[in-house]
Amino acid sequence: MTSSDLWDADTAARYDRARAAMFAPEVLDPTVDFLAEFAGEGRALELAIGTGRVGIPLLERGVDVTGIELSAPMVEQLHRKRPDLPVSVGDMATTRVEGRYALVYLVFNTIGNLCTQDEQVACFANAASHLQPGGRFVVEVGVPALRQLPPGQVAVPFDVSEGHVGLDTYDPVTQRATSHHYTRQADGSYRYCPHHYRYVWPSELDLMARLAGMRLERRTADWSGAEFTAESQSHVSVWRRD
């Protein structure tokens, strides 16, 4: 077991509704297009596949998709939609599945679910071990927002809306962070849900990839291919196995 937060049955049942914006075609279609291009005629392995937000439409695109997911309740939600998509329950740093893949991928900041550097390094090694020669590992993750922190401030808001307030708190020494979610309920009360993660810099990820025998091939600011710059708030990176 890793240091990751474990999504329980209640969280899994609410996940798709709570993340409805991530299912919107303008968000999801560029993601699936990008991954389908890199999978080609080969197989794809999604680490932390969750309820299948990306894996299911990629499967429907004709790609042979397999998943690894830590939370059994999340897998149950996925299999209610597509029982034919194979998923192994286990952590993404050490769990092995059979076969070699043209593509292994991690989306929506989930590399940060591994809350230690050693676990993140192990995840890269695990991804590389599943890749066929020339295969790619793709990661989508945010750029830490530490530049927005004035001296003495520890929190950065990322969403302030009628139904939700979200802010991140950072520990620059350990690179541990917490996303604090306050979601308005129907009765006017608020549900508090924290999510713990380890933020990681692009250059740090590149070194993890090199340790695993992979080299950076491409880095963009998003799935549509926008240029990655010093002002980018996220990146989609592709490493190729030697």
Side-chain angles (χ1 to χ4, degrees):
M1 186 65 66
T2 71
S3 60
S4 303
D5 290 348
L6 184 60
W7 271 237
D8 59 17
D10 180 58
T11 303
R14 293 186 287 104
Y15 186 85
D16 286 6
R17 294 192 303 275
R19 298 291 186 269
M22 299 302 297
F23 288 80
E26 61 270 22
V27 174
L28 191 53
D29 289 353
T31 307
V32 176
D33 290 343
F34 186 105
L35 295 171
E37 177 184 350
F38 277 95
E41 299 298 319
R43 304 171 66 201
L45 172 63
E46 180 172 356
L47 306 181
I49 194 169
T51 64
R53 179 182 70 92
V54 174
I56 290 174
L58 189 60
L59 179 68
E60 292 171 347
R61 188 70 66 87
V63 178
D64 184 355
V65 178
T66 298
I68 293 174
E69 170 57 46
L70 182 62
S71 168
M74 296 285 274
V75 178
E76 291 173 5
Q77 294 294 323
L78 182 154
H79 280 157
R80 286 184 178 137
K81 296 180 281 187
R82 284 302 298 256
D84 57 331
L85 199 165
V87 181
S88 294
V89 176
D91 71 84
M92 58 184 163
T94 62
T95 301
R96 288 280 310 167
V97 296
E98 293 184 2
R100 291 294 184 94
Y101 296 81
L103 174 69
V104 179
Y105 65 95
L106 255 174
V107 300
F108 200 24
N109 302 318
T110 42
I111 184 65
N113 290 0
L114 300 169
C115 291
T116 71
Q117 186 182 67
D118 284 345
E119 290 171 347
Q120 291 176 347
V121 169
C123 179
F124 270 73
N126 195 32
S129 72
H130 284 92
L131 287 172
Q132 64 193 34
R136 276 91 169 198
F137 183 36
V138 175
V139 172
E140 174 196 23
V141 65
V143 176
L146 270 66
R147 292 174 63 190
Q148 299 180 32
L149 283 174
Q153 182 173 312
V154 296
V156 175
F158 59 85
D159 181 41
V160 179
S161 58
E162 182 177 350
H164 176 261
V165 174
L167 54 93
D168 285 324
T169 53
Y170 296 94
D171 181 348
V173 174
T174 63
Q175 292 183 212
R176 295 286 188 99
T178 303
S179 289
H180 305 267
H181 296 271
Y182 300 86
T183 305
R184 186 178 176 85
Q185 306 300 296
D187 63 0
S189 65
Y190 280 81
R191 178 195 294 271
Y192 172 62
C193 182
H195 170 56
H196 305 92
Y197 66 98
R198 180 183 187 269
Y199 64 84
V200 59
W201 302 99
S203 58
E204 189 180 3
L205 292 170
D206 291 342
L207 182 55
M208 292 180 187
R210 291 186 65 182
L211 291 171
M214 299 183 288
R215 300 279 178 169
L216 181 67
E217 184 175 74
R218 176 178 175 179
R219 173 167 290 137
T220 56
D222 57 27
W223 294 105
S224 298
E227 181 184 3
F228 179 75
T229 71
E231 303 304 317
S232 297
Q233 297 181 353
S234 64
H235 62 98
V236 176
S237 296
V238 181
W239 296 275
R240 188 177 188 273
R241 184 188 169 193
D242 294 339

